[in-house]
Amino acid sequence: MSMIELDGAAGEGGGQILRTALSLSMITGQPFRITNIRAGRSRPGLLRQHLVAVQAAARICGADVGDVAVGAQTLAFVPGAIRAGDYAFAIGTAGSSTLVLQTVLPALLFAGQPSQLTVTGGTHNAMAPPSHFIERAYGRVLAAMGAEVDFTLRRFGFYPAGGGELVATVQPCAGLRALELTERGTRLHGYAESFVAGVPESVARRELECIGQGMGWGDAHLLCHRLPLEMGPGNVVLLTLEHQHVTEVFAGFGEKMVRAETVAKQTLERARRYIASGAAVSEWLADQLMLPMALAGAGSFTTDALSLHALTNAQVIARFLPVRFEFEAMGERHLVRVVSERLCGEDRQRSVGVFVGSC
């Protein structure tokens, strides 16, 4: 196959361009070359978590990546066959374990046997979805599409220490089902949690009090968790909303010199925006949905906001798969459709197992 050429400076210019390309290169067998990796960031090039994502993808599919190191701004990735197995990858910093996991998990769905994936590093930091989001929100959507993935958080990993451990057990999947997720449905349950390690418990209680007042929740909906001291210092507050068709998780992270009430209010504001919009999914889950829906070949969802991150992701996905994304504003919501462009003829048939078939 010809090499797909990608510009890492395009759109939002972040690491998602690389991660999506790695995922889809593994699945489709299409090689790619990317330049200007993370050119839109203050520290361009591969950071440790991005390098581990490349190494993990290469190991799982036997790819040829040549010499690649932290700081690299150019990468050529030539994939081989996806291999099931028991894999473990260590970031060595507080870099996001969830983003590494999400890079390779879609490919393992198409392996011939079950796999287990263990990633150590950061599990709760402000620049990536926390593990609870992956399990409750992303994991629920995957299950609705026919994927069988079990997530286990064995240890929290806060910034800057890291040291967290996240495990995913992945069963092989014949193909993902298209999903129409335009309504969230009735709210079934809502609750807030605050986790603290090496931080006064009063911080957690102040966060929960603030969210309780904002949501009209009593003590039964406000859960305080003290973690072992060695997992800290760190603090995360999570606001979880379980609906008939979807679960959303909003997170805020404690920082030095930032009041607990400020962390809670920022988290509450994001949840309120989502609630008021009437959309099925939040801006953050919308980002995560795009790749699995594209693999299904069709589907739609409504979201409370469309980020440049999501728009850039759509462009990268379309370079690997015969799909296009349609975006439509609907008042406080945005409708996103995945449309298959699979056509008869050699020019449109690509070697993607979930797409190849009779027209």
Side-chain angles (χ1 to χ4, degrees):
M1 297 183 189
S2 59
M3 184 80 73
I4 293 176
E5 300 286 346
L6 298 173
D7 182 1
E12 56 95 26
Q16 188 62 54
I17 298 174
L18 171 65
R19 288 189 294 271
T20 295
L22 289 169
S23 297
L24 292 179
S25 179
M26 297 171 73
I27 294 169
T28 65
Q30 296 177 97
F32 73 92
R33 180 184 295 107
I34 182 172
T35 58
N36 303 316
I37 295 173
R38 299 182 65 256
R41 298 295 185 256
S42 59
R43 295 171 59 196
L46 298 177
L47 298 182
R48 179 65 186 167
Q49 70 187 41
H50 308 103
L51 176 60
V52 173
V54 172
Q55 293 170 335
R59 182 176 166 194
I60 288 171
C61 73
D64 180 7
V65 296
D67 294 328
V68 61
V70 170
Q73 298 186 42
T74 301
L75 171 73
F77 189 88
V78 182
I82 299 168
R83 298 171 297 199
D86 188 349
Y87 296 101
F89 303 102
I91 298 174
T93 68
S96 175
S97 298
T98 58
L99 293 180
V100 172
L101 184 147
Q102 282 191 300
T103 300
V104 297
L105 188 153
L108 290 174
L109 290 172
F110 299 97
Q113 299 292 328
S115 298
Q116 181 168 290
L117 178 65
T118 302
V119 186
T120 56
T123 61
H124 293 79
N125 64 61
M127 302 304 294
S131 64
H132 290 83
F133 175 94
I134 297 299
E135 178 185 1
R136 297 172 184 172
Y138 178 69
R140 181 174 177 185
V141 171
L142 288 181
M145 298 180 74
E148 189 176 342
V149 184
D150 179 65
F151 297 97
T152 302
L153 174 63
R154 290 181 175 169
R155 178 185 167 96
F156 282 69
F158 293 105
Y159 178 84
E165 184 172 285
L166 180 60
V167 180
T169 303
V170 186
Q171 302 298 325
C173 179
L176 294 174
R177 296 191 295 262
L179 183 64
E180 301 295 329
L181 193 51
T182 56
E183 300 293 336
R184 67 179 74 143
T186 304
R187 190 193 299 177
L188 305 176
H189 191 31
Y191 56 98
E193 302 160 282
S194 183
F195 297 85
V196 288
V199 173
E201 190 171 314
S202 59
V203 170
R205 300 204 176 279
R206 287 162 54 198
E207 290 172 341
L208 293 173
E209 181 180 2
C210 182
I211 289 178
Q213 291 174 352
M215 294 295 294
W217 288 344
D219 291 345
H221 299 268
L222 306 173
L223 310 173
C224 181
H225 303 283
R226 176 174 288 281
L227 300 173
L229 183 64
E230 61 269 19
M231 292 189 188
N235 160 237
V236 60
V237 60
L238 303 171
L239 197 162
T240 299
L241 301 174
E242 296 180 4
H243 291 88
Q244 184 179 358
H245 305 304
V246 66
T247 298
E248 276 290 357
V249 179
F250 301 90
F253 301 89
E255 300 179 52
K256 289 182 179 180
M257 309 303 293
V258 177
R259 289 177 54 81
E261 289 79 7
T262 300
V263 173
K265 287 177 181 178
Q266 290 172 345
T267 307
L268 190 58
E269 286 171 6
R270 291 191 292 271
R272 281 175 165 171
R273 184 184 74 180
Y274 166 71
I275 293 168
S277 73
V281 306
S282 71
E283 172 184 350
W284 297 275
L285 185 53
D287 284 353
Q288 314 299 326
L289 272 176
M290 298 179 79
L291 192 148
M293 278 200 171
L295 288 171
S300 64
F301 61 88
T302 55
T303 179
D304 64 349
L306 272 176
S307 64
L308 180 58
H309 191 281
L311 297 174
T312 304
N313 205 17
Q315 294 172 356
V316 177
I317 291 169
R319 297 292 304 278
F320 288 87
L321 296 175
V323 300
R324 59 185 168 86
F325 289 86
E326 295 180 346
F327 304 96
E328 178 185 343
M330 302 173 60
E332 296 298 316
R333 301 186 292 171
H334 300 265
L335 175 64
V336 180
R337 295 189 188 92
V338 182
V339 180
S340 174
E341 290 192 332
R342 179 177 56 183
L343 302 173
C344 289
E346 203 171 312
D347 57 331
R348 295 302 293 161
Q349 287 287 359
R350 308 190 188 192
S351 59
V352 187
V354 289
F355 284 103
V356 172
S358 59
C359 295

